[in-house]
Amino acid sequence: MLMQRRHNLSQWLALAPWWISVIISAGTFVCLQYLLPPLLDNTHAEASGAILQFWSPYLAILLIIPLPFALFHREERERLVETERNLNLLRELKHSAFVNRLIPVFRQQGYGVEEVSDARYDLILRRGGEKTIVTCKSGHAAMVSTRFVRNAQQTQTAQHAAGAKVITCGSFSPGAARYQRTSSVELIDGHKLIRLMDDGRKARERTDDLLLPFGPSSGNTLPLGLVTESNVPACPRCGSDMNLQSLIAEQGEVRYWVCARYPACRSTRPT
Protein backbone atom coordinates (compact mmCIF):
# COMPACT_ATOMS: atom_id res chain seq x y z
CA MET A 1 0.00 0.00 0.00
CA LEU A 2 2.86 2.39 0.88
CA MET A 3 4.62 1.67 -2.44
CA GLN A 4 1.34 2.26 -4.27
CA ARG A 5 0.91 5.61 -2.53
CA ARG A 6 4.47 6.65 -3.41
CA HIS A 7 3.87 5.68 -7.02
CA ASN A 8 0.65 7.67 -7.12
CA LEU A 9 2.33 10.72 -5.54
CA SER A 10 5.18 10.67 -8.05
CA GLN A 11 2.69 10.26 -10.89
CA TRP A 12 0.65 13.17 -9.62
CA LEU A 13 3.72 15.40 -9.30
CA ALA A 14 4.87 14.47 -12.81
CA LEU A 15 1.48 15.44 -14.26
CA ALA A 16 1.03 18.57 -12.11
CA PRO A 17 2.46 22.01 -13.02
CA TRP A 18 6.24 22.06 -12.54
CA TRP A 19 6.15 24.57 -9.68
CA ILE A 20 4.12 22.17 -7.50
CA SER A 21 7.19 19.90 -7.15
CA VAL A 22 9.36 22.89 -6.22
CA ILE A 23 6.95 24.13 -3.55
CA ILE A 24 6.38 20.70 -1.99
CA SER A 25 10.10 19.88 -2.02
CA ALA A 26 11.08 23.22 -0.47
CA GLY A 27 8.25 23.06 2.08
CA THR A 28 9.21 19.52 3.13
CA PHE A 29 12.85 20.54 3.63
CA VAL A 30 11.99 23.64 5.68
CA CYS A 31 9.49 21.79 7.86
CA LEU A 32 11.77 18.82 8.62
CA GLN A 33 14.95 20.86 8.98
CA TYR A 34 13.80 23.94 10.90
CA LEU A 35 10.17 23.92 12.00
CA LEU A 36 9.54 20.47 13.49
CA PRO A 37 12.75 19.79 15.53
CA PRO A 38 12.31 22.79 17.92
CA LEU A 39 8.82 21.60 18.77
CA LEU A 40 10.20 18.32 20.15
CA ASP A 41 11.32 18.81 23.80
CA ASN A 42 12.06 15.38 25.30
CA THR A 43 15.08 13.14 24.69
CA HIS A 44 13.39 10.70 22.35
CA ALA A 45 11.74 13.52 20.47
CA GLU A 46 15.09 15.31 20.09
CA ALA A 47 16.55 12.13 18.61
CA SER A 48 13.60 11.96 16.25
CA GLY A 49 14.22 15.60 15.34
CA ALA A 50 17.84 14.83 14.50
CA ILE A 51 16.68 11.99 12.26
CA LEU A 52 14.22 14.33 10.53
CA GLN A 53 16.98 16.87 9.95
CA PHE A 54 19.26 14.19 8.56
CA TRP A 55 16.70 12.88 6.09
CA SER A 56 15.17 16.25 5.11
CA PRO A 57 17.51 16.95 2.13
CA TYR A 58 17.05 13.42 0.78
CA LEU A 59 13.27 13.67 0.96
CA ALA A 60 13.43 17.08 -0.70
CA ILE A 61 15.53 15.65 -3.55
CA LEU A 62 13.13 12.71 -3.88
CA LEU A 63 10.21 15.11 -4.23
CA ILE A 64 11.99 17.25 -6.82
CA ILE A 65 12.76 14.27 -9.11
CA PRO A 66 9.37 14.52 -10.93
CA LEU A 67 10.22 18.11 -11.99
CA PRO A 68 11.74 17.22 -15.42
CA PHE A 69 8.76 15.00 -16.17
CA ALA A 70 6.40 17.83 -15.22
CA LEU A 71 8.25 20.17 -17.61
CA PHE A 72 8.02 17.55 -20.37
CA HIS A 73 4.29 17.09 -19.82
CA ARG A 74 3.80 20.86 -19.89
CA GLU A 75 5.45 21.06 -23.31
CA GLU A 76 3.41 18.08 -24.46
CA ARG A 77 0.18 19.72 -23.28
CA GLU A 78 1.08 22.95 -25.06
CA ARG A 79 1.86 21.02 -28.24
CA LEU A 80 -1.47 19.18 -28.08
CA VAL A 81 -3.35 22.44 -27.53
CA GLU A 82 -1.59 24.00 -30.54
CA THR A 83 -2.29 20.90 -32.65
CA GLU A 84 -5.98 20.96 -31.73
CA ARG A 85 -6.16 24.68 -32.54
CA ASN A 86 -4.65 24.06 -35.99
CA LEU A 87 -6.97 21.11 -36.58
CA ASN A 88 -9.99 23.27 -35.75
CA LEU A 89 -8.83 25.82 -38.32
CA LEU A 90 -8.50 23.08 -40.95
CA ARG A 91 -11.93 21.69 -40.09
CA GLU A 92 -13.51 25.07 -40.83
CA LEU A 93 -12.14 25.10 -44.39
CA LYS A 94 -14.26 24.22 -47.38
CA HIS A 95 -13.26 20.98 -49.09
CA SER A 96 -11.47 22.68 -51.98
CA ALA A 97 -9.52 24.97 -49.63
CA PHE A 98 -8.54 21.99 -47.49
CA VAL A 99 -7.23 20.12 -50.53
CA ASN A 100 -5.27 23.21 -51.63
CA ARG A 101 -3.53 23.27 -48.24
CA LEU A 102 -2.18 19.78 -48.96
CA ILE A 103 -0.62 20.59 -52.34
CA PRO A 104 2.51 22.39 -51.02
CA VAL A 105 2.97 19.65 -48.41
CA PHE A 106 3.26 16.97 -51.10
CA ARG A 107 5.32 19.16 -53.41
CA GLN A 108 7.79 19.63 -50.58
CA GLN A 109 8.09 15.82 -50.47
CA GLY A 110 9.10 15.81 -54.14
CA TYR A 111 5.75 14.82 -55.65
CA GLY A 112 4.28 16.24 -58.80
CA VAL A 113 0.72 17.17 -57.83
CA GLU A 114 -2.30 17.18 -60.11
CA GLU A 115 -5.72 18.36 -58.98
CA VAL A 116 -8.66 16.38 -60.34
CA SER A 117 -12.40 16.99 -60.47
CA ASP A 118 -13.54 13.52 -59.52
CA ALA A 119 -15.98 12.70 -56.74
CA ARG A 120 -13.94 9.63 -55.78
CA TYR A 121 -10.56 11.30 -55.14
CA ASP A 122 -8.96 14.75 -55.04
CA LEU A 123 -5.28 14.63 -56.04
CA ILE A 124 -2.90 12.56 -58.14
CA LEU A 125 0.70 12.40 -56.91
CA ARG A 126 3.54 11.35 -59.20
CA ARG A 127 7.08 10.56 -58.15
CA GLY A 128 9.64 8.14 -59.56
CA GLY A 129 7.28 6.96 -62.28
CA GLU A 130 4.63 5.88 -59.79
CA LYS A 131 1.16 7.30 -59.29
CA THR A 132 -0.61 7.73 -55.96
CA ILE A 133 -4.17 8.94 -55.48
CA VAL A 134 -5.24 11.09 -52.53
CA THR A 135 -8.75 11.09 -51.11
CA CYS A 136 -9.64 13.72 -48.51
CA LYS A 137 -12.30 13.79 -45.82
CA SER A 138 -12.63 17.42 -44.78
CA GLY A 139 -14.84 19.18 -42.26
CA HIS A 140 -15.81 17.98 -38.79
CA ALA A 141 -16.04 14.28 -39.63
CA ALA A 142 -15.48 12.59 -36.29
CA MET A 143 -14.29 9.27 -37.68
CA VAL A 144 -13.61 7.88 -41.16
CA SER A 145 -15.31 4.54 -41.77
CA THR A 146 -13.96 1.30 -43.19
CA ARG A 147 -16.21 1.75 -46.22
CA PHE A 148 -14.55 5.08 -47.09
CA VAL A 149 -11.09 3.50 -46.94
CA ARG A 150 -12.25 0.48 -48.96
CA ASN A 151 -13.60 2.82 -51.65
CA ALA A 152 -10.17 4.51 -51.81
CA GLN A 153 -8.57 1.09 -52.32
CA GLN A 154 -11.02 0.32 -55.13
CA THR A 155 -10.34 3.68 -56.77
CA GLN A 156 -6.60 3.00 -56.59
CA THR A 157 -7.12 -0.28 -58.42
CA ALA A 158 -9.37 1.32 -61.04
CA GLN A 159 -6.83 4.09 -61.69
CA HIS A 160 -3.91 1.61 -61.85
CA ALA A 161 -2.13 3.57 -59.11
CA ALA A 162 0.74 2.24 -57.03
CA GLY A 163 -0.73 3.55 -53.79
CA ALA A 164 -3.45 5.59 -52.15
CA LYS A 165 -3.65 8.03 -49.26
CA VAL A 166 -6.71 8.89 -47.22
CA ILE A 167 -6.43 12.16 -45.30
CA THR A 168 -8.77 13.51 -42.64
CA CYS A 169 -8.79 16.19 -39.95
CA GLY A 170 -10.33 13.65 -37.60
CA SER A 171 -9.51 10.00 -37.01
CA PHE A 172 -10.17 6.55 -38.42
CA SER A 173 -12.45 3.88 -37.05
CA PRO A 174 -10.86 0.72 -35.59
CA GLY A 175 -12.20 -1.21 -38.57
CA ALA A 176 -10.54 1.19 -41.01
CA ALA A 177 -7.23 0.83 -39.17
CA ARG A 178 -7.49 -2.98 -39.37
CA TYR A 179 -8.36 -2.82 -43.08
CA GLN A 180 -5.33 -0.62 -43.75
CA ARG A 181 -2.96 -3.29 -42.43
CA THR A 182 -3.88 -5.61 -45.32
CA SER A 183 -4.01 -2.96 -48.06
CA SER A 184 -1.72 -0.43 -49.73
CA VAL A 185 -3.73 2.53 -48.47
CA GLU A 186 -1.93 4.98 -46.16
CA LEU A 187 -4.12 6.57 -43.49
CA ILE A 188 -3.25 10.11 -42.38
CA ASP A 189 -5.31 11.34 -39.44
CA GLY A 190 -5.44 14.88 -38.08
CA HIS A 191 -2.42 14.66 -35.77
CA LYS A 192 -0.24 13.02 -38.43
CA LEU A 193 -1.35 15.66 -40.93
CA ILE A 194 -0.27 18.47 -38.60
CA ARG A 195 3.14 16.82 -38.17
CA LEU A 196 3.52 16.57 -41.96
CA MET A 197 2.64 20.25 -42.34
CA ASP A 198 5.10 21.23 -39.61
CA ASP A 199 7.85 19.15 -41.21
CA GLY A 200 7.12 20.76 -44.57
CA ARG A 201 7.23 24.24 -43.08
CA LYS A 202 10.57 23.56 -41.38
CA ALA A 203 12.01 22.08 -44.59
CA ARG A 204 10.92 25.16 -46.55
CA GLU A 205 12.56 27.42 -43.99
CA ARG A 206 15.83 25.47 -44.28
CA THR A 207 15.61 25.64 -48.07
CA ASP A 208 14.90 29.36 -47.95
CA ASP A 209 17.98 29.96 -45.79
CA LEU A 210 20.16 28.04 -48.25
CA LEU A 211 18.79 29.20 -51.60
CA LEU A 212 17.32 32.65 -51.26
CA PRO A 213 20.69 34.50 -51.23
CA PHE A 214 20.87 33.25 -54.83
CA GLY A 215 17.38 34.54 -55.71
CA PRO A 216 16.23 36.60 -58.69
CA SER A 217 17.84 39.81 -57.44
CA SER A 218 21.26 38.12 -57.59
CA GLY A 219 21.13 37.82 -61.37
CA ASN A 220 21.74 34.07 -61.24
CA THR A 221 18.63 33.21 -63.26
CA LEU A 222 19.27 30.33 -65.65
CA PRO A 223 18.81 30.81 -69.40
CA LEU A 224 15.11 30.34 -70.08
CA GLY A 225 15.56 28.63 -73.45
CA LEU A 226 14.54 25.31 -71.92
CA VAL A 227 11.73 26.78 -69.86
CA THR A 228 8.36 27.30 -71.54
CA GLU A 229 5.19 28.80 -70.19
CA SER A 230 3.62 25.35 -70.01
CA ASN A 231 6.11 23.96 -67.48
CA VAL A 232 6.64 27.02 -65.26
CA PRO A 233 5.01 26.11 -61.93
CA ALA A 234 2.84 28.39 -59.87
CA CYS A 235 4.10 29.52 -56.49
CA PRO A 236 2.54 27.27 -53.81
CA ARG A 237 2.14 30.28 -51.49
CA CYS A 238 0.90 33.16 -53.65
CA GLY A 239 0.16 31.60 -57.04
CA SER A 240 2.62 33.77 -59.02
CA ASP A 241 4.98 32.39 -61.66
CA MET A 242 8.34 31.07 -60.50
CA ASN A 243 11.84 31.66 -61.86
CA LEU A 244 14.33 28.87 -62.45
CA GLN A 245 17.56 29.33 -60.48
CA SER A 246 20.85 27.49 -60.04
CA LEU A 247 23.22 27.00 -57.14
CA ILE A 248 26.66 25.42 -57.25
CA ALA A 249 26.87 23.06 -54.26
CA GLU A 250 29.26 20.28 -53.23
CA GLN A 251 27.22 17.71 -55.15
CA GLY A 252 27.23 19.89 -58.30
CA GLU A 253 24.71 22.26 -59.81
CA VAL A 254 21.37 22.38 -58.01
CA ARG A 255 18.35 23.77 -59.85
CA TYR A 256 15.29 25.06 -58.08
CA TRP A 257 12.34 27.40 -58.50
CA VAL A 258 12.00 30.75 -56.69
CA CYS A 259 8.85 32.88 -56.62
CA ALA A 260 9.04 35.76 -59.11
CA ARG A 261 7.79 38.08 -56.34
CA TYR A 262 10.89 37.53 -54.22
CA PRO A 263 11.65 39.05 -51.71
CA ALA A 264 7.96 39.80 -51.05
CA CYS A 265 7.33 36.04 -51.31
CA ARG A 266 10.18 33.74 -50.27
CA SER A 267 8.70 30.49 -51.55
CA THR A 268 10.95 27.91 -53.25
CA ARG A 269 10.42 24.41 -54.63
CA PRO A 270 12.64 21.75 -56.22
CA THR A 271 12.68 21.20 -59.98
Side-chain angles (χ1 to χ4, degrees), residues 184-196:
S184 57
V185 179
E186 179 184 0
L187 304 184
I188 301 177
D189 62 11
H191 290 273
K192 186 176 181 180
L193 175 59
I194 293 298
R195 288 196 299 272
L196 289 175

Side-chain angles (χ1 to χ4, degrees), residues 115-150:
E115 295 183 73
V116 294
S117 55
D118 192 303
R120 297 170 298 171
Y121 60 105
D122 301 285
L123 298 172
I124 296 177
L125 310 180
R126 288 187 170 88
R127 186 175 65 182
E130 292 187 343
K131 180 171 71 172
T132 302
I133 64 167
V134 177
T135 305
C136 300
K137 187 74 170 179
S138 59
H140 289 269
M143 192 170 290
V144 178
S145 66
T146 307
R147 180 180 179 182
F148 192 89
V149 177
R150 185 182 295 112

Side-chain angles (χ1 to χ4, degrees), residues 53-247:
Q53 288 179 321
F54 174 81
W55 285 107
S56 60
Y58 300 102
L59 290 174
I61 293 173
L62 185 64
L63 291 171
I64 206 70
I65 286 176
L67 176 60
F69 300 96
L71 292 172
F72 171 78
H73 284 295
R74 184 189 66 171
E75 295 179 358
E76 186 70 10
R77 285 193 297 268
E78 292 174 352
R79 186 187 65 80
L80 290 175
V81 169
E82 182 66 21
T83 296
E84 194 60 34
R85 185 183 297 116
N86 292 332
L87 283 175
N88 286 333
L89 292 175
L90 290 176
R91 288 167 185 147
E92 296 299 329
L93 295 176
K94 293 182 178 179
H95 187 78
S96 59
F98 175 70
V99 173
N100 287 335
R101 288 292 184 93
L102 302 177
I103 292 176
V105 175
F106 290 121
R107 282 179 173 166
Q108 188 65 43
Q109 296 177 0
Y111 286 104
V113 183
E114 176 186 346
E115 295 183 73
V116 294
S117 55
D118 192 303
R120 297 170 298 171
Y121 60 105
D122 301 285
L123 298 172
I124 296 177
L125 310 180
R126 288 187 170 88
R127 186 175 65 182
E130 292 187 343
K131 180 171 71 172
T132 302
I133 64 167
V134 177
T135 305
C136 300
K137 187 74 170 179
S138 59
H140 289 269
M143 192 170 290
V144 178
S145 66
T146 307
R147 180 180 179 182
F148 192 89
V149 177
R150 185 182 295 112
N151 289 341
Q153 174 81 70
Q154 293 171 352
T155 303
Q156 172 196 340
T157 303
Q159 295 297 317
H160 306 289
K165 299 177 186 287
V166 178
I167 302 177
T168 178
C169 294
S171 58
F172 294 91
S173 68
R178 287 193 298 270
Y179 181 83
Q180 184 266 341
R181 298 190 193 104
T182 59
S183 70
S184 57
V185 179
E186 179 184 0
L187 304 184
I188 301 177
D189 62 11
H191 290 273
K192 186 176 181 180
L193 175 59
I194 293 298
R195 288 196 299 272
L196 289 175
M197 289 183 165
D198 286 343
D199 291 343
R201 175 182 55 79
K202 293 174 183 176
R204 286 194 300 271
E205 291 174 354
R206 290 194 299 269
T207 304
D208 288 349
D209 292 340
L210 173 64
L211 300 181
L212 286 177
F214 300 86
S217 60
S218 69
N220 288 336
T221 304
L222 289 177
L224 298 180
L226 299 178
V227 180
T228 64
E229 292 183 1
S230 61
N231 59 22
V232 173
C235 173
R237 294 187 187 178
C238 68
S240 302
D241 288 340
M242 305 193 82
N243 293 327
L244 190 60
Q245 308 290 311
S246 66
L247 170 67

